Amino acid sequence: MDPERKKRALRTLTYGMVVASAADGEELAAGAVNWISQASFVPPLIMLALRNDSNLQRLAERSQRLAVNVLTRQQKDLAAAFFKPSRVEADRIQGFSFQRGSFSGAAILADAWAWLEARVTDAVKRGDHTVFVAEVVEADIREGDFHPLVMWETGWTYGG
Ligand SMILES: Cc1cc2nc3c(=O)[nH]c(=O)nc-3n(C[C@H](O)[C@H](O)[C@H](O)COP(=O)(O)O)c2cc1C
């Protein structure tokens, strides 16, 4: 396998771009994540891969709970703010207004298009990320004519 062609081949996979969050008591982390997908209808499962060396992974592993914020095409700047370590000041994270989810205690962004809270059912720690499978227990969506933030359209890459 040619490593360069492997990288280019893997980068043809398509993704959205969300802000995932986890909390353990007062401790809170959130990060921009593109390795996420639905994984079952009944029960409603999602799966996401979180970097082993991130606070987000550590808090998801500890609390076994996660929140996911789905973003619109207009929210590229918001997503970019979540590449950096989480900074919480009062009711803002990275400068964006949020509330703690009733189930997860994790960050639900006021401006998210849709949000989910989920209970971790399985975790596979392999390679440099942990794949979490989680059952959606809370969800809501803001009404409006939105277009999702799509990784390919941002020009960013995370994969290869
Ligand atoms: C374009 C892009 C996509 C990313 N996708 C993921 C991802 O799918 N999973 C992940 O764990 N981190 C991903 N990251 C890294 C996180 O956004 C972020 O760096 C990390 O959650 C912050 O680490 P911390 O929790 O230790 O503060 C991505 C970063 C970039 C720039």
Side-chain angles (χ1 to χ4, degrees), residues 80-157:
F82 286 87
F83 295 154
K84 301 183 200 110
S86 298
R87 207 190 64 251
V88 179
E89 274 163 16
D91 62 347
R92 289 179 175 263
I93 184 163
Q94 318 299 74
F96 295 95
S97 179
F98 79 101
Q99 288 190 324
R100 282 175 173 266
S102 58
F103 173 73
S104 64
I108 308 287
L109 300 173
D111 292 332
W113 177 11
W115 58 264
L116 313 166
E117 288 189 280
R119 174 191 300 109
V120 173
T121 60
D122 304 271
V124 179
K125 200 175 210 167
R126 187 163 312 283
D128 45 24
H129 283 60
T130 302
V131 178
F132 289 94
V133 176
E135 180 172 348
V136 176
V137 295
E138 298 284 352
D140 208 352
I141 181 166
R142 201 149 50 91
E143 297 305 333
D145 185 19
F146 299 113
H147 181 99
L149 184 59
V150 175
M151 186 72 168
W152 186 267
E153 294 172 357
T154 64
W156 298 329
T157 56

Side-chain angles (χ1 to χ4, degrees), residues 50-93:
L50 300 182
R51 242 179 49 205
N52 291 337
D53 62 358
S54 67
N55 284 318
L56 183 56
Q57 190 277 355
R58 186 172 55 81
L59 296 183
E61 191 169 67
R62 216 192 278 165
S63 68
Q64 298 286 291
R65 293 169 189 221
L66 284 160
V68 172
N69 296 272
V70 182
L71 306 178
T72 73
R73 182 190 257 164
Q74 279 74 38
Q75 293 176 311
K76 189 175 171 185
D77 290 347
L78 184 154
F82 286 87
F83 295 154
K84 301 183 200 110
S86 298
R87 207 190 64 251
V88 179
E89 274 163 16
D91 62 347
R92 289 179 175 263
I93 184 163

